Amino acid sequence: YGLEDLQYLFLYFNSLEIINNNTFLGLTNLYNNIDLSSNKLRLIEKDAFKGLKSLTRLYLNDNYLIRKN
């Protein structure tokens, strides 16, 4: 199996600060959970989750995100 078969992604407690555009591109089977909680996220770029059409749960709690228009 390769990463294209990944269904769950748990990246909590990793001190991540930024999620760039197209970060998850190619992970077409990633449809259940992405857990990015308890990091240091301050920015998620607009197209960071591009291509994840079936994602059901995204956890972002306990980060430093602010809303940006």
Side-chain angles (χ1 to χ4, degrees), residues 3-65:
L3 288 179
E4 64 274 358
D5 294 316
L6 194 66
Q7 294 181 15
Y8 302 89
L9 184 59
F10 299 101
L11 294 171
Y12 46 86
F13 293 105
N14 276 290
S15 298
L16 300 174
E17 294 183 20
I18 297 173
I19 305 295
N20 295 311
N21 285 332
N22 302 314
T23 295
F24 304 100
L25 199 61
L27 299 179
T28 54
N29 288 326
L30 188 56
Y31 62 88
N32 286 320
N33 296 322
I34 296 179
D35 191 341
L36 297 166
S37 61
S38 299
N39 279 286
K40 296 179 181 179
L41 285 174
R42 55 184 172 77
L43 174 66
I44 298 176
E45 293 185 341
K46 181 179 122 179
D47 290 327
F49 301 103
K50 187 175 184 177
L52 297 180
K53 297 177 182 177
S54 301
L55 185 65
T56 57
R57 291 185 184 98
L58 174 63
Y59 299 96
L60 296 169
N61 51 299
D62 298 321
N63 280 289
Y64 303 114
L65 294 169

